[in-house]
Amino acid sequence: MDGPALHVEHLTKRYGDLVAVDDLDLEVGAGEVFGFLGPNGAGKSTTIRVVLGFTRPQAGRVRVFGVDAADVVHAHRLLAHVPADVALWPQLTGEEVLHLLAATRPGTDTAYRAELVERFGLDPSRPARTYSTGNRQKVALVAAFATRAPLLVLDEPTSGLDPLVEQEFRETVRRAREDGQAVFLSSHQLAEVEAVCDRVGILREGRLVEVAPVRRLRALHRAEFTVDFTGPAPRLSGLAGVGPVEVLAAGRVRFAVSGSPAAALSALAAARVSALDVREPGLEEVFLEHFGQRSPR
Amino acid sequence: MSAPVRVPAPAPAPVRARAAGRAVVLLALEQVRRGALVVALVAAALTAVVAASHDRVAGDPATTASLRVLAGNPAVRALFGEPAALGTVGGYTAWRAGTVVAVLLATWAVLVTTRTTRGAEESGAWSLLLSGCLPLRSVVARHLAVLALAPLAVGAAVAVALRLAGAGTAAAAVSGAGTALVGVLAVALAGLSAQLLPTRGGAAGAAVGALSAGLLVRAVGDGVDGLSWLRWASPFGLLELSRPAAGDRVAPLLVLAVAATALGAAAVAAAGRREVGEGLWSRRAVRRAPRGGLGSVEAFALRRCLRPVLAWSAGIGAYYLLTGLVATSVTGFLDEQAGFAGTAARAGFGGLDSVEGFSASLFGLLPVPVGAFAAARLAASTAAEADRRSVLLAAQPVGRLRLLGAELTATTAGTLLLVSVAAVCTWAGTSIGGGGLGLGAALRGTWNTLPVALLAAGAAALAVGCLPRAVVLVGLLPVGGGFLLRVVAESAGAPAWVVDLSPFSHLAAVPLVPADRAAGAVLTALALALAAAGALAHRRRDLLG
């Protein structure tokens, strides 16, 4: 096991004219939880399919702890996968699926698996055809975490889970990181990414437009001030770090501040502020801003 | 926040339902029309070729008389049906090709019906459809109505082919109508089993099983004098009883139509009484403790193969048991009637004068069902890939070669078992029916056909690698295509090299004559080469789904 948990170099995958992934470079360190964000069709699932050796790229290469991802016999000993939209053999019970998956790879921790079945609230005695989307996802999550593989490749693993199970999922990811496992987490659940990830990469039209630690990405955005005042309108335009000022009503303005708010605060002093609301935007707004949309209000 | 929201007024309910109904009908048509066209062309071609051979075989009054005596034997009747009006194109073609075309059409009808109804429901493709304004009952009814159009088209094609080949108008119409009605009955039967059983495989298996039972009932009715009324209980018996060119009876056709209507009505009623995604016959929902066959990808492939192997074994076993039972009677009869062997050979039933020859000629058919089994198994593995059931296994530290290798191993094991079942059942049948064929000879005979069945597995494996959406079609090419090519080419007197294109032309009539080891080795090597090419292509291509 040499090198980073996941190393993607100049990866390009085209389907005919459609460029799904375009010269992508990416690195996930051992023990790191990496959030992989992007709108539908950005190339997230294609990237994961290349990581798993399901799809051959036109250019570039992917290595898992230094092992070529196309060499699935060796690379897959080092990773476990939870697909988006889990499909199971309908006639097998959950327990049989877990049994099969443990038998076809070395090193499943069966004691931990039993604990995970309990924590995720999975009834493993039922045939898979009777499972809901969330229950199928639980089977795949239990199987993946129970491997204790050094890299977990999770493709939107919580889209069908209820909030309580999702909390268990976040807790399990944190435990995996404490144990030194790396997690590559593709997700639309920004709260989840914000809660568990160390770093976030944002993919757009097959290209990585941003890679940043979660806290820095959040800091990229400006704080949003909404001010009610009774005195004269404050003169904010042109101050250092202050963006365009929006007049919401008589005696009410909204503006964004990046960096130090000192200049804005001193300008507000004379306006006899009656109410002040400062909001630090969530990752969702940072994310949406990157895709040229305004967050809905 | 409190901006008024304008809700568009819904269209009146009858208008919505009518539009939705039309959309469902179009959806069903789209899924059926291509297959229906192919089946209609094949049925018409088969009918035309057999009809065209009428003058050569049955035009000679002496031969016709001989054939009639031959058909006086109950065992011969059990196998080939009761001939009528062999001197006419309509009667002769109905006897030689009628059942074959009807079986072909009925099998296709079952497969397409279960695929477009239960299959679509099982895969979730109907979820959106059923969340619309049409209830399950209407969606099923509309699909069955559209599906029933396909056999009508095939029947029309058969009637036209017969008429153009010189059959009388009434005979052509009765033949076409009979074929069509057997097909419609198969659609209704499969529609009903798709309401009772919750999986596509189970529904198709049950319907094919019921049709096979119908064939056996027809055979018993034809073969046992006191039981000829049994034919009224079998679709294929009713087809025979309609007697094209020898009475052109309408009553059996009416029985077929009534039975098909009743089954269709039962299917629609059953659809109205069950939940979406479930069958009317419910299943256990809880199962403790894992069963076997989950220890490796190979064991899992064998486990998934088990049920289909048992189902195919039952069908193939029943057929060879029956032929074994009548073998001694047929061959003994031929032996007594010196001169008929030659007649039979001219009519396309060569080598029937000894149990070995009789068995060998029936073993010659064996690669068709066994090869179809192999193609179906490999198609099931690509279906699992396409609907992403196999993603979790593909994400294990197991290479693609091993994954496909496991499927090929299980499929090959299944084909070995099927050919052995055919041998054991033939041996058992001949033993009960008077003896004459040893178990060793039977095994040599059926195992001799294995290379042709393996050729189907090899072709299907190649398709898994190169044409994953057409695995069944490519897999059936060597056996279905090869068989038809040989029959058609020989009937039409095509040059030898055309006949030799069919792998069936290289099968020695074991156990009548020794096996052609060189031909067997070449066919096996070809099968292995195809499988290897398929495995390499599969390794290099992107996974489906």
Side-chain angles (χ1 to χ4, degrees), chain A residues 12-289:
Chain A
T12 298
K13 176 67 186 178
R14 287 183 294 268
Y15 295 101
D17 288 341
L18 178 81
V19 183
V21 178
D22 189 6
D23 198 28
L24 178 69
D25 287 290
L26 189 71
E27 194 175 302
V28 179
E32 182 181 27
V33 180
F34 187 89
F36 198 42
L37 303 177
N40 295 327
K44 299 192 299 295
S45 287
T46 302
T47 306
I48 286 177
R49 287 173 65 81
V50 177
V51 169
L52 290 164
F54 293 174
T55 294
R56 303 289 143 103
Q58 273 84 17
R61 62 182 200 157
V62 176
R63 280 172 296 171
V64 176
F65 293 105
V67 178
D68 188 345
D71 177 8
V72 296
V73 177
H74 293 101
H76 286 190
R77 285 173 191 273
L78 304 168
L79 64 81
H81 174 53
V82 174
D85 187 14
V86 178
L88 301 173
W89 302 92
Q91 67 277 25
L92 295 191
T93 63
E95 189 173 5
E96 286 173 324
V97 173
L98 293 175
H99 186 85
L100 173 70
L101 294 177
T104 47
R105 67 171 298 144
T108 293
D109 183 340
T110 49
Y112 187 41
R113 188 178 68 191
E115 184 194 328
L116 287 166
V117 165
E118 196 68 29
R119 279 182 29 200
F120 283 122
L122 174 70
D123 176 0
S125 65
R126 287 168 48 206
R129 66 182 162 73
T130 65
Y131 281 148
S132 64
T133 311
N135 277 324
R136 290 200 302 274
Q137 237 157 4
K138 287 179 195 174
V139 173
L141 281 168
V142 167
F145 281 115
T147 62
R148 294 197 185 275
L151 172 64
L152 298 168
V153 180
L154 312 179
D155 192 358
E156 297 181 27
T158 61
S159 50
L161 299 183
D162 64 51
L164 284 177
V165 181
E166 206 187 316
Q167 286 304 320
E168 286 294 343
F169 166 76
R170 292 183 192 181
E171 189 48 43
T172 312
V173 169
R174 284 190 202 104
R175 270 173 68 168
R177 182 176 53 184
E178 283 164 20
D179 294 343
Q181 291 171 274
V183 180
F184 187 68
L185 173 65
S186 160
S187 182
H188 280 302
Q189 316 255 14
L190 293 140
E192 170 182 292
V193 168
E194 207 169 347
V196 300
C197 292
D198 302 311
R199 276 198 309 152
V200 176
I202 294 176
L203 198 67
R204 183 185 184 185
E205 289 169 10
R207 287 176 161 274
L208 208 53
V209 290
E210 183 72 65
V211 182
V214 168
R215 65 191 138 70
R216 190 162 78 75
L217 198 61
R218 208 181 288 135
L220 274 180
H221 201 78
R222 304 175 280 194
E224 189 181 89
F225 284 62
T226 307
V227 181
D228 293 291
F229 54 90
T230 53
R235 302 179 58 162
L236 295 159
S237 300
L239 290 179
V242 176
V245 179
E246 226 177 317
V247 179
L248 298 175
R252 188 165 211 209
V253 292
R254 180 163 61 202
F255 55 94
V257 175
S258 55
S260 164
L265 288 176
S266 42
L268 286 174
R272 290 205 294 278
V273 173
S274 59
L276 172 66
D277 178 50
V278 183
R279 212 167 58 84
E280 188 177 328
L283 199 53
E284 183 166 351
E285 279 160 89
V286 180
F287 174 81
L288 289 173
E289 188 152 278

Side-chain angles (χ1 to χ4, degrees), chain B residues 512-523:
Chain B
L512 185 64
V513 298
D516 183 346
R517 286 173 193 277
V522 169
L523 288 173

Side-chain angles (χ1 to χ4, degrees), chain B residues 179-458:
Chain B
T179 308
L181 286 171
V182 170
V184 173
L185 184 122
V187 166
L189 180 70
L192 178 60
S193 77
Q195 306 314 308
L196 299 179
L197 296 166
T199 63
R200 170 187 166 185
V208 168
L211 286 174
S212 306
L215 267 178
L216 283 180
V217 166
R218 200 277 301 147
V220 172
D222 271 328
V224 182
D225 280 336
L227 296 177
S228 59
W229 54 269
L230 265 181
R231 292 180 293 179
W232 287 90
S234 158
F236 302 101
L238 289 163
L239 179 65
E240 183 182 292
L241 287 169
S242 68
R243 294 178 157 269
D248 298 320
R249 295 159 69 187
V250 177
L253 299 183
L254 286 178
V255 174
L256 269 177
V258 169
T261 310
L263 284 170
V268 173
R273 293 169 59 94
R274 69 176 178 87
E275 288 172 22
V276 173
E278 289 295 325
L280 202 58
W281 293 343
S282 61
R283 296 169 295 181
R284 276 179 307 144
V286 174
R287 197 162 77 224
R288 302 274 167 201
R291 297 192 184 162
L294 298 168
S296 63
V297 289
E298 289 79 12
F300 186 48
L302 279 172
R303 174 189 159 123
R304 277 178 288 122
C305 214
L306 196 62
R307 269 173 173 238
V309 165
L310 290 179
W312 286 80
S313 290
I316 290 173
Y319 177 78
Y320 280 94
L321 186 68
L322 176 79
T323 58
L325 279 170
V326 301
T328 315
S329 158
V330 172
T331 52
F333 169 79
L334 285 170
D335 209 30
E336 287 161 21
Q337 311 277 326
F340 282 136
T343 305
R346 278 201 299 283
F349 303 121
L352 294 184
D353 49 347
S354 71
V355 174
E356 283 79 11
F358 180 79
S359 303
S361 66
L362 291 171
F363 293 160
L365 303 173
L366 186 57
V368 178
V370 177
F373 158 82
R377 287 317 302 156
L378 289 166
S381 82
T382 46
E385 185 185 322
D387 66 19
R388 286 172 286 178
R389 255 174 296 159
S390 49
V391 162
L392 288 177
L393 268 191
Q396 299 292 83
V398 178
R400 300 253 189 108
L401 280 179
R402 196 172 152 205
L403 283 174
L404 183 57
E407 299 297 331
L408 277 170
T409 308
T411 302
T412 307
T415 58
L416 290 177
L417 196 79
L418 289 180
V419 297
S420 305
V421 163
V424 170
C425 287
T426 306
W427 167 75
T430 52
S431 299
I432 298 166
L437 188 71
L439 180 58
L443 281 169
R444 270 190 289 123
T446 59
W447 279 62
N448 176 58
T449 67
L450 197 58
V452 177
L454 290 181
L455 206 55

